[in-house]
Amino acid sequence: MGFTFMDGNEAVVQGAVYAGCRFFAGYPITPATTILSGMLQALPPLGGIVLQGEDEISSIGYCLGASMAGLKAMTATSGPGISLYSENISFAVGSEIPLVIVNVMRQGPSTGAATRGADGDVQFMRWGHSGGLPVVVLAPTCAADCFTLTVHAFNLAERLRCPVFVASSKEIGMTRETVDLEAVEKPPVVDRKTHEGGPYLPFAADAQGVPPFLPMGGPVPVRQTSSMHGPDGYITTNPVVMQAMVERLKAKVESPIDSFSFYEWDAQEAARTLIVTYGVTARSARAAVSRLRAQGHAVSLLVLKTLFPVPEKVLREAAATVERLLVVEANLGQYVHEVARVVCPTPTHFFGLMCGRMIRPEEIVREVIRAESS
């Protein structure tokens, strides 16, 4: 290992291999295509499988089948592909199928600008599937983060039996930079908990609300359905069973959020303003904070790397002593609403662009000064 010149997509590939991913399916789409080509080089020598689906719908479907058979599976796409993934994301949520989905976001809407980045899919990743139940969304800021957060994504998918997003962007995914792979955080790899014996009920949860796993196609029959079901896997319309199921699916993802609230908090004593951001915009925010402090402005910075479930404890602690917040996003205002909800009544300001270029440090400096004078 050592120092390597690599982009975020290459780091995702290496993180996935390290985490034990042995199945990948995807459809070519800028700016995520090099994850497909990278996995095509990486997995077959390890005995893994890579498929180019005929479209995005089939690609995620292949991944769900592979995961139900016991493989760690990943797919990668961009915003238009996430739209097509929607039904199968909901299937993964309701049927508790571990899956990692890498969304290398492009500027939108629709097919947008394929070679320009933005963070326009933030709320869509959380809410873009039927039923409204939670998923996990992790947001890297750089190539090194792409490695580490991809490992975390697999660990969480396995631990919680749910789909987990890695919310990258064109600027992260396709920009090369020096990464010290020996120094990069490498979380211990987690595998899904398996059934250890006795009668098997496919959706009978443990104390953490997560059912132990058995692969389909093995010696023990495993029932699976996309419809509402009870612990035995049979379809049900019993209101008590249905309510218990959806509450469990919600709680198993949201309750342990403090254990996977990933963030960077650069606190300054007596800071009056807290900048909150995520993704590649964090890099401009760090430069802006340095300039503001040099000019005599007391400013703190919170870079969120877990977006959903919302890390409310982190936000409240970071905002506890400031007079105002400035949320900076590469969109027209999506995560700012989550922040404002959590820190209310502390005033929350917003600055965002989605014009196909990154937000510049001087623009963040200007917005902080404007917020302080308002």
Side-chain angles (χ1 to χ4, degrees), residues 105-129:
M105 290 180 279
R106 56 162 73 169
Q107 193 269 354
S110 189
T111 52
T115 60
R116 297 290 185 271
D119 290 331
D121 305 343
V122 169
Q123 289 291 348
F124 188 63
M125 285 182 284
R126 168 59 183 89
W127 296 104
H129 58 274

Side-chain angles (χ1 to χ4, degrees), residues 250-272:
K250 183 174 186 289
K252 75 168 185 176
V253 175
E254 293 184 343
S255 296
I257 177 59
D258 290 347
S259 70
F260 58 92
S261 294
F262 307 121
Y263 63 95
E264 296 175 13
W265 184 12
D266 179 5
Q268 183 179 22
E269 187 176 356
R272 299 170 55 204

Side-chain angles (χ1 to χ4, degrees), residues 71-138:
L71 295 177
K72 291 186 179 183
M74 182 175 80
T75 186
T77 188
S78 193
I82 296 295
S83 300
L84 294 169
Y85 282 2
S86 179
E87 182 177 6
N88 274 327
I89 293 170
S90 188
F91 181 25
V93 170
S95 296
E96 301 182 76
I97 305 169
L99 176 63
V100 173
I101 304 169
V102 184
N103 181 10
V104 190
M105 290 180 279
R106 56 162 73 169
Q107 193 269 354
S110 189
T111 52
T115 60
R116 297 290 185 271
D119 290 331
D121 305 343
V122 169
Q123 289 291 348
F124 188 63
M125 285 182 284
R126 168 59 183 89
W127 296 104
H129 58 274
S130 58
L133 290 167
V135 295
V136 178
V137 180
L138 308 180

Side-chain angles (χ1 to χ4, degrees), residues 58-319:
S58 60
S59 297
I60 189 173
Y62 296 149
C63 289
L64 296 182
S67 182
M68 285 189 285
L71 295 177
K72 291 186 179 183
M74 182 175 80
T75 186
T77 188
S78 193
I82 296 295
S83 300
L84 294 169
Y85 282 2
S86 179
E87 182 177 6
N88 274 327
I89 293 170
S90 188
F91 181 25
V93 170
S95 296
E96 301 182 76
I97 305 169
L99 176 63
V100 173
I101 304 169
V102 184
N103 181 10
V104 190
M105 290 180 279
R106 56 162 73 169
Q107 193 269 354
S110 189
T111 52
T115 60
R116 297 290 185 271
D119 290 331
D121 305 343
V122 169
Q123 289 291 348
F124 188 63
M125 285 182 284
R126 168 59 183 89
W127 296 104
H129 58 274
S130 58
L133 290 167
V135 295
V136 178
V137 180
L138 308 180
T141 67
C142 60
D145 279 353
C146 285
F147 180 97
T148 299
L149 291 181
T150 297
V151 179
H152 280 305
F154 274 98
N155 286 347
L156 289 166
E158 295 287 304
R159 169 183 156 196
L160 302 176
R161 286 191 60 177
C162 72
V164 178
F165 286 91
V166 177
S168 184
S169 72
K170 181 265 169 183
E171 308 301 346
I172 298 170
M174 300 187 72
T175 300
R176 289 196 162 191
E177 56 186 316
T178 300
V179 179
D180 183 355
L181 286 176
E182 291 185 356
V184 167
E185 179 191 356
K186 300 176 182 67
V189 173
V190 173
D191 297 319
R192 66 193 72 171
K193 180 181 178 181
T194 57
H195 179 65
E196 295 180 350
Y200 181 59
L201 296 178
F203 297 100
D206 62 14
Q208 288 71 48
V210 182
F213 176 84
L214 281 181
M216 299 189 75
V220 178
V222 177
R223 288 182 293 276
Q224 181 62 273
T225 176
S226 62
S227 298
M228 295 298 297
H229 51 269
D232 57 8
Y234 286 111
I235 295 174
T236 183
T237 56
N238 183 314
V240 175
V241 176
M242 293 165 68
Q243 185 67 23
M245 174 186 171
V246 294
E247 288 184 357
R248 179 178 65 78
L249 293 178
K250 183 174 186 289
K252 75 168 185 176
V253 175
E254 293 184 343
S255 296
I257 177 59
D258 290 347
S259 70
F260 58 92
S261 294
F262 307 121
Y263 63 95
E264 296 175 13
W265 184 12
D266 179 5
Q268 183 179 22
E269 187 176 356
R272 299 170 55 204
T273 301
L274 172 66
I275 299 172
V276 180
T277 191
Y278 56 89
V280 73
T281 307
R283 305 178 79 156
S284 290
R286 293 186 191 111
V289 166
S290 295
R291 296 181 191 183
L292 285 160
R293 289 173 178 172
Q295 297 173 19
H297 298 270
V299 179
S300 292
L301 173 65
L302 177 63
V303 177
L304 294 175
K305 298 184 182 181
T306 299
L307 298 183
F308 293 103
V310 177
E312 297 188 6
K313 180 180 178 181
V314 172
L315 282 166
R316 290 194 180 99
E317 288 180 354

Side-chain angles (χ1 to χ4, degrees), residues 339-348:
V339 175
R341 171 182 63 82
V342 172
V343 304
C344 181
T346 305
T348 302

